[in-house]
Every structure is written in structure tokens, then in C-alpha cells.
Amino acid sequence: MMADSGSEEIAVIGNTDLTSAELENNIKNTMVEIEKWTSLLRKMEISVGEAEKRTGKNTVNMQEIYTVYLIETRPVDAVTEGIIPAPDSLWRRYSEFELLRNYLLVTYPFVVVAPLPEKRAEIVWHKLSADNMDPDFVERRRVGLENFLLRLASHPVLCNDKIFYIFLTEEKGWKEMVYETGFQAKADSRLKAMNAAFRVKNPDKRFTELKHYSDELQAVVSQLLRVRARVADRLYGVYKVHGNYGRVFSEWSAIEKEMGDGLQSAGHHMDAYAASVDDILEEEEHYADQLKEYLFYTEALRAVCRKHELTQFELEMAAQDLASKKQQKEELVTGTVRTFSLKGMTSKLFGQETAEQREAKLQVLEQQIEEGEEAVKEKNTESDEFVKTAWIDIEHFKDQKDRDLKEALISYAIMQISRCKKGIQVWTNAKECFNKM
Amino acid sequence: MSRTIDAVVSPTQTNTIPADISGQMLDLDEDDDLEVFSKDLTLADGNMFNASMPTSPGSMVNQCKFEEDEESDSKDIFITVDNPESHVTAIETFITYRVLTKTTRSEFDNSEYEVRRRYQDFLWLKGKLEDAHSTLIVHPLPEKFVVKGMVERFNGDFIETRRKALHKFLNRIADHPILSCSEDFKVFLSAQAWELTTYKKQGPGFLSRMGETVRAVANSVRGVKNRPEEFTAIQEYVEDFSNKIGSLDKVTQRIVKEQKEYLEELKEYGPTYTLWSGSEEELAEQLKGVAGCIERCCKETEEQVGHLSDTLVPVLHEYVLCAETLKAVLRRRDNIQAEFEAKNEALATKKVDRDAESSDLGFVWGSLLGKNPEEARHQRQERLDGEIEELKEEIDKLEDRVEWANNALKGDWGRWQRSMRGDLKSAFLSTAEKNVDYYEKCSGVRFLSLPPIVLP
């Protein structure tokens, strides 16, 4: 379903303070003012409703089956007035989410951009299918994608992005729009820079620490998730084997007189016990997904740190370049050659330059020094800006992480308590049945 | 017979080892011994009899409890099996167990006995009891070797499991109204080692044993013709029971295996949270809390697995062996009846012979040799009558034997069913209770370690 035209959309959002000219400006403007914290979520309900399978031709003209997800949006105001209109909706596939995220990464390098859910199921325990078409996996991915959009919508900077907004509201033409921003070129150079090896002399210590932290976090959470999956596997085995008690008790009860009733009913409880593990582990999978999100976040953290290193490196290069130019000028002026240069050697061998030649060189150098000083100033500002904005976002991320993970750990503990309570129930019941034997 | 529950036994005493056996203390951990022997069972249900707990004669006397279904005789013979010790001779190494008896029975000269017995002696006793009372149900002995895995006769767990089973074996005999009066049993409990050896050498020799076995085989080949309905019913039951108990044994062992593997993974799980807490500030407390909970869960799981192995597994295994015993008992009863039937058939044949008018080869010969045909026939009649009388006498005896065997089995069958029910009921009850306890401990601990949560 296509969204309504521009001005109506704005009205729907509820932003009635701006003139139409300013509205136009806003739409054209993809950079944001961080001070104006306008959470998109305040104005819009966003959800990823269903998932469907589609068939189509891919880039190499081969048939493929893929899943699309329904994105539904609805203005918050409409609901609070007591009338609940039907939400606007459109379909997106996973690759479009990826495109959106890549665009945001490039456009806002100082932001720790929320990660996407797994493309493929990586850390699974045996019962859970690693198949992308498996309904349980698709369902969990749907939840993950919704979470991703909500993260973006509640981010003070990202929520104002036009491309993001269009992603939510206009199905057709969005892809072209993204490519038109020219982010692809930036993305390529960014990729190159990220992968290049360079040494930074004076990185901001906080970023170095952050990089270490994100490495540690990645390592420890990966390990935790792997072991958890193995524990889940084993727990599944324990519960399921008890199902055999159910079967054998039932058969045995048929040949016993006094013990028959007790055995029969105990058997039922054993069956219930064995069956209960499915729901328990399904719930735990949700906990694992919460941890996985932060595992994937570490990549975004590392990207921001890397960007800082890059900016810092460029600054250092510019400063170094300036310094060497200044030194060259000094040498030229004083006539001393402190460092080895081919020019210096040749002039020694073939005689000094003329005064005019020297004057010309000096002028060029002075020009270069002026430019160099401008460049250093620019880079300095850029670097400072980046550090400032990035660090605000990082603090924001840290708070979010602490809150989310604390909640996840608490809910995990509650899950375990609930599992234990169920265990107490089942075995108390079984005990009563055994008493009747 | 009443049952006894609970008890504490003091472990090692070395001052009563017979002089001719060189003692050598096993490498058993003192603490392990103590732990096993001093476990205090608090019982929720007075009817429970925990088969795995050793009972000292002294404390058994003080803590009698009565089974509802059985006669409320007070128990007058209390036996303990404990204190395994390794003995090394030039030829072999073996384990002996101390057998302690306290009794008020008049057949015994003393009221207390302490002897050492090895597995072979127990085997001998079982054999003697089964010979003397072929249709009584004698509780099974633990197997000769550990079937799966290595033959580790000197492994601590194996010895402990065997000790418990031997203890139960003797106590079951002591509880039995007929078997406990056996002279062989008395000698087993009271004789010194050399006395026992001498005693063993008496009695029916090897060859006569062979004769009995051959007869039994012959009879079983012939088969029994008119088995009473009730014994057929018992046999069918035993077949089914044997299958079911075998399955339960396997299932339980599988559960133990899975629990152990679960425990192994859990042990690696907790430390990852601790590791993580090292990188965090705000979250550190929470993470350490989870790590602590998992650790406690490990401890509880270990205990639960131990309980399963100590309580349920041995009992199920015992009854797997019982099922085989029952099959053997039914076979022996059948053989006794088959022997009786065979003799009856022989009698019928002889009678037919005697009444037959047809010619006897001997008669023909007799007439050739000039004997009076009338006289020859008369002689033949007399001879056959004599044989018939003999047969009748034998048949009477055999008939008595069949009746006695059937009654013995019928009586014991009821006893066996009751004790089977009691044993299995209490083993499963104990398991269920332990599991409730396990989950209670796991959930309680978790709850305490975390900041107060408002539960939905």
C-alpha cells in the first residue's frame, strides 16, 4: 500500500509547527541537528507483522524463493482518539533492510547503528533448525527486524533520517532513492579505509578502551551463546528420555492390580514433564536472541572506533605534512640542510640555485603551508566533532546496553525459576501417584 | 515380618580378622566410607524402606517399624554386611565383607556373630537354599562381574554397590519364614572361615548333583502337561514383568547418562558469566549472580544424579535379576510336576501291561523252557503288581512333593509381590522426592541471589 502524499504524511506525524517551506527543507535535508530530539516513535507505531514467501528472478535471472516482511505503521494520535484506523503497510525483504543499514552506517559514521538479526541461523542447538525457511526461524527473524526498526525509530539522530522514513512508508522507488544519495561511493571508500592498515600515534584513549571492550564482549558472548546452546541440547535430552517412563509405566500398569492406577497416572505426569521442555527452550531462545543482538552490536562499536582512528590518522598525516613543509621552508630560508635531500646533494654537486629560483620555491612552499594549515584546522575540527558526537552516542549506547542486558538477565533468572517451579509441580504430582502404588 | 529403616554404622574395625587371611586395607577414602555410612535419612512416610542404606544390628533393634500388609512379628535376626577388605594370597586377590549378626533365636548358640565372607560364599549359600527349597523365591545376588565396561572387581563404586546388594540378600533371607530356618544359613552366619570350608565339603557330592541336573533337563524336555491355570498366569505375568522392568532399567540408566552430560556442559556454562562480569561495571553484579546460581545448580545436579544411581538404579537392576529368578523357580516347579506326570504315565503303562491278555515274550520263553503257562502268567502278574506298588509309593511321594512345591510357591508368590511392590514404590517415591528437593533448591537459590524482583 502506498503512503499518502508528502504534506499529509507530515500532518499525520503531527508536526504542525513548521511552514511548508521549512517542511520542504527538512525533507531535503538528510543531515540532522542532534539537539532536536524528535523520536519517531512518539509519533508513529511501527511493527513488522507477518512474513510471506515470494518467488521472483534474482540478479542473475534465476528463480528464487525469498521471504518478505510486512511493515505496518500507524500514527500514534489516531489510536489515542479512540478510533483505530487500519495501519499503512508495505512489504520489504531482508536485503532491503541490509541496504537501509548500510546507508545509515555510511551517512552517520559516529552513530552506533543497531544490528540486524542473523541472516542465517548460526549458533543453534540441535532441535532448532538452521534452515532459513523454517517457520520458527522466520518468526524469530521477524521479531528481530521489528526490534531493529524500533531501535532506529527511538534513536535521537537516526529517527529523523528521510531515507529511513521513506523505507517505512513508500514501497516502490525507495531503492532508487537510496542509490541516488550516492552513498554507495562513500560506502566503497569507507570499506577500503576500514580494511586498510595504518598506525595512529595519538588515538583518544577512550576509543582504544572501547575497542578492547568490544573485542572482549564479542569473544565472551559468543562463547556464552555456544555453551548455552549445548546446555539446552542436553537439557532437552534429559526431559525427553523421561517420556519413556510414561510409555513403560502405562504398559506395566496393565499387568498390575494394586499398582496399576498409581503407575498409570504417574506415567501421564512423566509424559507432561517430557513435553514441557519444548516451551521452556523456546522461551530461552528469546533470551539468546537478546544476547545475540549485543554480540552483533560489537561490530557497530568497532566501526565507530575505526572511524575515529581514520579521522585521527588523517589529522596526523595532515599535521605531519604541514610540519615537513615548514621545515623545508626553514631550510630554504636559512640555507642549511638538516635532512638529506636529493636537491641538497645536487646543489652541492652542481652549484647553488639562483636567488630567483629560491624565491619561487619559497613562494610555492608558503602557499602550501597556508593550505596545509587550513587542512589541519579542518581535520582538527572534523576530528573533534566526530569525537564529540560519537561519544554522546556511545554513552547513550552504554546506558541502553546496561538497561537491556540487566533486564535480559533478570528475565532469564525468572525463566529458570519458572522451570524449577514446573519441575516441583510435576514431581510432586508423580510422588502422589507413586504413593498410590 | 517387620521392616527396619534407617541406621548408622561405624566403619572400620580390624581386630576381628581371622588369622589365616592376611588383611590389607583397601584404598577406599575414609571420608567416602564415613559419608555413606552416616547419611541420615529423614522419612516422610513410615512405610518406606530404603534398600540402599546399611543398617547396623544395634540400631535396627531400636528402630523397628511395621509393614501394614505383613504379619507383625518382631524381627529377631538382624544382619549387616560392611567393611570390604582386600585379601592377597599367592594364588589370587579377593574381597571379603564383614557379616555381623545379632539374634535372639534359640537355634543360635550366641546372640552375636561376626564373620568374614567372600562372594563365593554367598553364591554357595544361594545354591544350597535353592537346592533345598526349589520353588521358594530366593532374592538374587549381585552379578559376578560388571557387565558393561571393564571388569573392575576392585573399583570402589562396584564394591559398594555389591556390598549393598549382599546386605539386602541376607536380610531378605532373614525375613523369610522358611529360608531363615535353614541350617546352611545358620552356618553361613556363624561359622569361622575354616569351619565353613569344612562344612561346605559335606553334603551331596558332585556326581549326585549331576544326576539331579540330568533328570531335571530330561523332564524339562518332556514338558509339563497339565499345568494349573494359576501358574500359567504367573508365568505370563513374569514374562511381561521381566520386559517392563528391563525397559525401566535401561531408561533409568539413560537418564543418568543424559544428566551427567548435562552436568558437564553446565560446569562450563557458569564460568562464562564470571568471565563476562570482568569486562562490565553496571552488569557485573548481575552476571556474577547468574554464575553463582549455575554453580549451585551444578552441585545440586551432581547430588541428584548420585541419588538416582544409589537408589533407583540398583533396585531396578535387582528386580531384573528377580525376574530371572522367578522364571527359574517356575521352571523347577514345572519339572517337579513333569516328573510326577511321567511316573503316572509309567504306572498307567504298567497297569495296562499287567491287565493285558496278549503274549509276553517271557511267557513264550517260559513255555519253551517247560514252565506252566498259568504259573508263568501268575509269576508275571505278581512281579508287575510289585512294580506297580513301588511306583504307587513313588508317585505318592512325588504327589506330595508337587503339592508341597506348589504351596510353597503360592505362598512365596504373595510375599514376593508384596515386597516387590514395597521396594519399587519406595524407590520411585524416593526418586520423586529427591527431584522435588532438587528443583526447590535450584529455584530457591536463584531467587535469593538476585535483587528483589516483582514476579508477575
Side-chain angles (χ1 to χ4, degrees):
Chain A
M1 264 198 297
M2 292 293 284
D4 296 334
S5 64
S7 52
E8 279 180 19
E9 283 169 346
I10 305 301
V12 156
I13 293 178
N15 192 352
T16 50
D17 295 333
L18 309 169
T19 65
S20 52
E22 283 173 57
L23 288 174
E24 282 301 311
N25 243 354
N26 262 357
I27 293 171
K28 288 196 179 116
N29 195 0
T30 55
M31 287 308 289
V32 292
E33 296 166 88
I34 300 167
E35 279 73 45
K36 231 194 255 176
W37 192 79
T38 49
S39 167
L40 193 58
L41 269 187
R42 282 206 192 153
K43 296 160 182 123
M44 241 174 141
E45 269 180 30
I46 306 172
S47 68
V48 177
E50 310 148 21
E52 257 181 33
K53 293 222 199 344
R54 296 275 169 83
T55 52
K57 293 239 158 71
N58 66 6
T59 46
V60 289
N61 217 31
M62 285 178 63
Q63 277 285 80
E64 59 166 359
I65 304 174
Y66 57 91
T67 313
V68 285
Y69 300 86
L70 184 70
I71 302 182
E72 294 174 305
T73 51
R74 173 172 39 220
V76 165
D77 316 63
V79 181
T80 53
E81 277 165 17
I83 324 151
I84 307 174
D88 297 327
S89 61
L90 48 76
W91 297 93
R92 293 267 182 235
R93 56 184 294 192
Y94 188 84
S95 57
E96 291 175 284
F97 281 86
E98 279 181 312
L99 182 59
L100 171 66
R101 185 164 188 271
N102 285 337
Y103 162 79
L104 291 172
L105 278 173
V106 167
T107 316
Y108 306 93
F110 57 93
V111 168
V112 182
V113 181
L116 282 169
E118 288 174 302
K119 194 165 183 136
R120 266 162 273 282
E122 303 263 338
I123 307 167
V124 286
W125 57 281
H126 87 278
K127 195 219 163 201
L128 225 50
S129 171
D131 174 20
N132 284 357
M133 290 297 156
D134 180 76
D136 281 336
F137 176 74
V138 169
E139 170 59 19
R140 282 179 34 241
R141 208 207 241 180
R142 180 197 68 76
V143 171
L145 290 173
E146 184 177 282
N147 186 56
F148 169 72
L149 291 179
L150 292 174
R151 291 270 191 225
L152 296 183
S154 59
H155 191 279
V157 172
L158 300 177
C159 67
N160 292 317
D161 185 87
K162 175 190 166 194
I163 296 287
F164 174 49
Y165 184 73
I166 308 281
F167 176 89
L168 295 172
T169 52
E170 280 180 48
E171 189 166 321
K172 302 217 189 315
W174 174 80
K175 243 185 173 169
E176 288 73 16
M177 209 177 189
V178 181
Y179 287 124
E180 263 169 39
T181 62
F183 93 97
Q184 196 67 52
K186 271 203 257 173
D188 292 337
S189 75
R190 174 180 170 274
L191 203 66
K192 229 188 278 175
M194 289 301 191
N195 292 333
F198 53 82
R199 243 178 66 76
V200 181
K201 294 206 187 93
N202 287 314
D204 185 318
K205 274 218 186 70
R206 294 177 298 174
F207 283 93
T208 318
E209 277 169 21
L210 183 66
K211 196 154 78 112
H212 285 152
Y213 169 75
S214 96
D215 287 340
E216 279 173 11
L217 188 66
Q218 183 191 28
V220 85
V221 174
S222 310
Q223 193 195 359
L224 196 152
L225 286 170
R226 266 195 303 273
V227 181
R228 190 212 69 88
R230 292 205 302 263
V231 169
D233 216 4
R234 292 296 168 206
L235 194 66
Y236 182 80
V238 170
Y239 274 75
K240 286 300 178 190
V241 177
H242 279 82
N244 287 311
Y245 272 156
R247 182 181 49 86
V248 181
F249 279 169
S250 175
E251 291 168 8
W252 182 15
S253 71
I255 61 170
E256 296 291 341
K257 283 179 237 118
E258 293 118 336
M259 298 203 297
D261 287 338
L263 278 176
Q264 179 86 305
S265 34
H268 290 149
H269 292 299
M270 292 297 100
D271 285 332
Y273 181 71
S276 70
V277 77
D278 294 312
D279 285 341
I280 287 167
L281 289 177
E282 185 59 44
E283 234 196 315
E284 262 198 33
E285 211 54 41
H286 177 65
Y287 166 71
D289 283 341
Q290 287 177 290
L291 293 185
K292 260 184 223 173
E293 192 194 11
Y294 279 92
L295 174 64
F296 300 146
Y297 252 123
T298 59
E299 201 200 303
L301 275 179
R302 262 199 301 281
V304 174
C305 292
R306 196 69 174 147
K307 178 68 184 179
H308 161 74
E309 283 178 2
L310 191 61
T311 340
Q312 183 69 12
F313 180 69
E314 284 173 0
L315 171 61
E316 284 174 5
M317 284 295 106
Q320 198 178 303
D321 193 56
L322 178 65
S324 103
K325 289 275 181 321
K326 281 188 175 166
Q327 192 179 352
Q328 280 181 33
K329 175 185 167 187
E330 198 206 309
E331 284 171 10
L332 208 58
V333 162
T334 59
T336 58
V337 181
R338 256 187 258 129
T339 58
F340 175 80
S341 74
L342 200 57
K343 214 59 200 287
M345 286 315 294
T346 52
S347 62
K348 270 220 150 89
L349 290 168
F350 301 111
Q352 296 275 2
E353 307 162 299
T354 64
E356 286 138 355
Q357 285 173 325
R358 262 230 327 245
E359 197 51 45
K361 273 200 204 113
L362 206 62
Q363 274 197 1
V364 168
L365 268 179
E366 275 180 9
Q367 173 78 351
Q368 284 176 341
I369 285 171
E370 219 180 283
E371 285 168 0
E373 273 171 353
E374 266 306 307
V376 167
K377 209 159 71 163
E378 230 179 80
K379 287 286 173 202
N380 238 328
T381 319
E382 201 186 305
S383 180
D384 282 348
E385 263 300 301
F386 180 85
V387 167
K388 198 173 82 173
T389 55
W391 207 255
I392 292 175
D393 202 59
I394 286 162
E395 290 296 335
H396 170 255
F397 166 78
K398 280 186 182 171
D399 289 338
Q400 177 197 290
K401 172 205 72 154
D402 286 337
R403 255 182 292 122
D404 287 349
L405 290 178
K406 208 178 257 191
E407 193 209 298
L409 290 169
I410 290 177
S411 77
Y412 183 63
I414 293 178
M415 262 182 244
Q416 299 308 312
I417 293 173
S418 154
R419 178 172 75 84
C420 290
K421 286 211 156 88
K422 283 194 199 134
I424 292 171
Q425 189 64 48
V426 163
W427 286 103
T428 308
N429 290 340
K431 185 183 152 191
E432 274 170 34
C433 297
F434 290 138
N435 238 335
K436 288 192 237 147
M437 267 167 77
Chain B
M1 285 280 170
S2 57
R3 295 202 186 284
T4 59
I5 308 133
D6 201 288
V8 172
V9 161
S10 63
T12 51
Q13 283 178 32
T14 52
N15 51 359
T16 52
I17 300 172
D20 63 331
I21 293 173
S22 56
Q24 184 185 324
M25 285 313 293
L26 267 177
D27 214 352
L28 294 172
D29 196 324
E30 284 281 306
D31 287 333
D32 280 348
D33 269 351
L34 278 168
E35 205 176 313
V36 169
F37 291 167
S38 64
K39 247 189 217 152
D40 198 13
L41 254 196
T42 47
L43 296 162
D45 190 325
N47 281 337
M48 273 214 298
F49 170 66
N50 190 324
S52 66
M53 286 301 121
T55 50
S56 80
S59 62
M60 277 163 89
V61 174
N62 293 330
Q63 296 185 22
C64 272
K65 300 237 168 144
F66 298 108
E67 261 288 329
E68 284 170 340
D69 296 337
E70 312 206 347
E71 312 115 17
S72 12
D73 285 350
S74 35
K75 210 167 142 88
D76 57 3
I77 178 164
F78 303 86
I79 307 174
T80 335
V81 177
D82 61 17
N83 191 224
E85 271 182 16
S86 174
H87 298 265
V88 186
T89 68
I91 319 160
E92 55 178 345
T93 311
F94 58 90
I95 308 256
T96 62
Y97 301 84
R98 180 177 71 161
V99 178
L100 220 49
T101 310
K102 275 193 166 63
T103 178
T104 53
R105 289 202 186 174
S106 48
E107 313 90 84
F108 289 85
D109 296 330
N110 298 342
S111 59
E112 273 190 45
Y113 292 94
E114 184 174 327
V115 296
R116 294 206 74 91
R117 295 285 176 252
R118 56 185 290 192
Y119 183 78
Q120 268 183 22
D121 299 331
F122 286 83
L123 267 180
W124 167 85
L125 176 62
K126 179 162 186 270
K128 295 292 288 181
L129 290 173
E130 280 175 344
D131 279 349
H133 310 278
S134 57
T135 57
L136 287 184
I137 302 166
V138 178
H139 201 70
L141 272 178
E143 283 146 325
K144 243 175 146 30
F145 300 117
V146 176
V147 178
K148 27 186 177 293
M150 303 154 286
V151 175
E152 282 233 36
R153 291 193 296 141
F154 304 106
N155 171 272
D157 276 344
F158 172 72
I159 291 172
E160 176 55 22
T161 310
R162 186 179 258 202
R163 185 200 60 76
K164 284 187 200 156
L166 294 175
H167 174 95
K168 192 162 180 192
F169 169 77
L170 288 181
N171 276 287
R172 279 296 154 87
I173 296 172
D175 286 345
H176 197 289
I178 301 173
L179 294 174
S180 62
C181 302
S182 147
E183 179 67 21
D184 299 315
F185 185 51
K186 175 165 165 271
V187 170
F188 178 90
L189 290 176
S190 56
Q192 290 307 305
W194 53 270
E195 286 175 332
L196 183 62
T197 318
T198 318
Y199 182 83
K200 279 191 196 178
K201 294 203 178 107
Q202 307 164 4
F206 180 62
L207 287 172
S208 77
R209 278 270 191 78
M210 276 287 284
E212 274 188 46
T213 315
V214 169
R215 267 212 305 282
V217 169
N219 288 335
S220 65
V221 166
R222 185 180 321 161
V224 72
K225 300 252 170 73
N226 292 311
R227 188 195 292 132
E229 178 56 42
E230 61 181 309
F231 293 113
T232 306
I234 293 177
Q235 183 173 61
E236 278 168 15
Y237 171 85
V238 169
E239 268 305 312
D240 289 333
F241 177 81
S242 173
N243 282 335
K244 297 314 149 205
I245 207 76
S247 296
L248 286 177
D249 185 37
K250 286 202 197 90
V251 170
T252 310
Q253 287 191 38
R254 179 72 192 278
I255 289 176
V256 168
K257 177 170 170 279
E258 295 284 339
Q259 276 284 60
K260 280 184 175 164
E261 286 174 352
Y262 168 66
L263 178 61
E264 282 314 299
E265 300 295 351
L266 261 188
K267 281 184 181 164
E268 274 192 51
Y269 188 41
T272 59
Y273 283 95
T274 311
L275 184 64
W276 186 359
S277 73
S279 309
E280 299 288 341
E281 286 163 20
E282 282 293 308
L283 292 174
E285 198 191 307
Q286 219 83 32
L287 290 168
K288 280 191 214 156
V290 175
C293 292
I294 296 174
E295 243 167 86
R296 275 307 293 269
C297 193
C298 282
K299 184 170 166 289
E300 296 305 327
T301 306
E302 196 145 34
E303 232 188 78
Q304 191 253 11
V305 172
H307 182 268
L308 212 56
S309 302
D310 284 344
T311 307
L312 189 55
V313 170
V315 172
L316 289 175
H317 195 63
E318 237 175 76
Y319 277 92
V320 168
L321 295 175
C322 267
E324 295 308 307
T325 305
L326 287 172
K327 286 180 191 168
V329 165
L330 287 169
R331 267 199 304 274
R332 289 199 287 267
R333 191 221 69 86
D334 275 358
N335 287 341
I336 291 170
Q337 185 173 332
E339 211 182 326
F340 168 69
E341 284 175 355
K343 278 271 147 47
N344 255 332
E345 278 171 30
L347 177 66
T349 315
K350 277 244 153 31
K351 280 187 176 168
V352 165
D353 264 359
R354 187 194 53 181
D355 299 339
E357 296 284 341
S358 56
S359 59
D360 182 26
L361 217 56
F363 177 64
V364 170
W365 277 113
S367 68
L368 277 176
L369 291 168
K371 279 214 172 129
N372 185 350
E374 198 51 46
E375 209 188 299
R377 193 186 314 154
H378 186 67
Q379 273 184 354
R380 185 172 144 265
Q381 294 285 53
E382 267 188 24
R383 179 172 56 84
L384 282 174
D385 277 340
E387 285 171 5
I388 285 169
E389 279 312 308
E390 264 180 41
L391 268 178
K392 275 195 184 160
E393 266 179 46
E394 277 177 54
I395 285 172
D396 276 345
K397 282 200 198 126
L398 284 175
E399 195 168 20
D400 282 345
R401 198 164 157 231
V402 169
E403 201 180 310
W404 193 91
N406 286 350
N407 288 338
L409 179 51
K410 265 188 268 191
D412 238 19
W413 177 241
R415 279 194 85 248
W416 182 86
Q417 281 187 303
R418 278 193 300 279
S419 68
M420 179 272 283
R421 188 167 143 225
D423 281 351
L424 291 176
K425 173 175 170 176
S426 86
F428 281 115
L429 262 177
S430 173
T431 302
E433 266 186 16
K434 182 63 193 169
N435 285 342
V436 170
D437 177 58
Y438 165 74
Y439 280 115
E440 272 175 357
K441 288 217 182 94
C442 282
S443 68
V445 163
R446 286 180 192 280
F447 194 53
L448 286 170
S449 296
L450 292 165
I453 311 159
V454 179
L455 285 177

